[in-house]
Amino acid sequence: MLAVIGLMSINPGTKAQEVFNQVVGNAKLILEDPKADQFLISVSQFKYTALQYLCTTAIKQNGGGVASDLLDQQAYSLNHFITSYFSELAKAQKQSKSAQKDIMKKYWKACAENPMFQGQDKEITDSFINDPSSITPFSINVDWEKADKAATEK
């Protein structure tokens, strides 16, 4: 499972806005692959939705433009956040259900405490939280750079 998530990682030599495009493109390829397993589809759907939301909302709030370095940093941080989340969960499986819940809470809290935009429609932004079958129970309205730092520093 983690090895496959690693395949969705970022090439360190990637140029401006290519990180964003690479993460979105990889997610889209998996979503369109009829042979992809459900885990990858779920993770890819979250990444794709979160990054599309970020880009669309940033463009609306900035009057038609958004800095490519912002998109790249957010995409990189989202990718790292999700990879770290599943890595920690996998390690906790050897411990206890309580350890797994603590990790889930830590990552959920990191997202909840670091929204990207104020005053957004919670029904839309919390759709993955409100879906009981979601393996990525996080808001899509997140400053992924801040959330990643908050989750991985604790």
Side-chain angles (χ1 to χ4, degrees), residues 45-141:
Q45 185 64 59
F46 180 79
K47 287 180 180 182
Y48 185 82
T49 303
L51 292 175
Q52 291 301 312
Y53 171 81
L54 168 74
C55 185
T56 303
T57 306
I59 287 171
K60 286 178 189 174
Q61 289 197 351
N62 294 326
V66 61
S68 63
D69 59 335
L70 171 75
L71 295 177
D72 282 343
Q73 186 57 49
Q74 290 296 311
Y76 178 84
S77 296
L78 166 63
N79 207 54
H80 186 263
F81 180 93
I82 295 296
T83 302
S84 298
Y85 172 68
F86 284 113
S87 176
E88 285 191 41
L89 274 181
K91 289 176 189 172
Q93 279 182 335
K94 298 172 187 170
Q95 297 172 9
S96 67
K97 291 281 185 198
S98 176
Q100 289 177 327
K101 284 186 178 188
D102 289 345
I103 289 166
M104 294 168 117
K105 285 178 188 176
K106 176 177 76 167
Y107 278 83
W108 182 86
K109 186 176 179 183
C111 287
E113 292 178 350
N114 293 289
M116 179 62 98
F117 308 103
Q118 300 303 316
Q120 297 303 302
D121 182 351
K122 297 286 270 175
E123 186 175 333
I124 293 170
T125 62
D126 291 354
S127 61
F128 287 87
I129 294 171
N130 297 328
D131 179 357
S133 66
S134 177
I135 62 171
T136 50
F138 311 115
S139 172
I140 58 172
N141 179 25

Side-chain angles (χ1 to χ4, degrees), residues 16-34:
Q17 200 172 336
E18 288 184 22
V19 174
F20 177 85
N21 291 337
Q22 187 176 3
V23 175
V24 170
N26 286 347
K28 191 172 180 185
L29 282 174
I30 291 168
L31 292 171
E32 293 172 349
D33 182 355

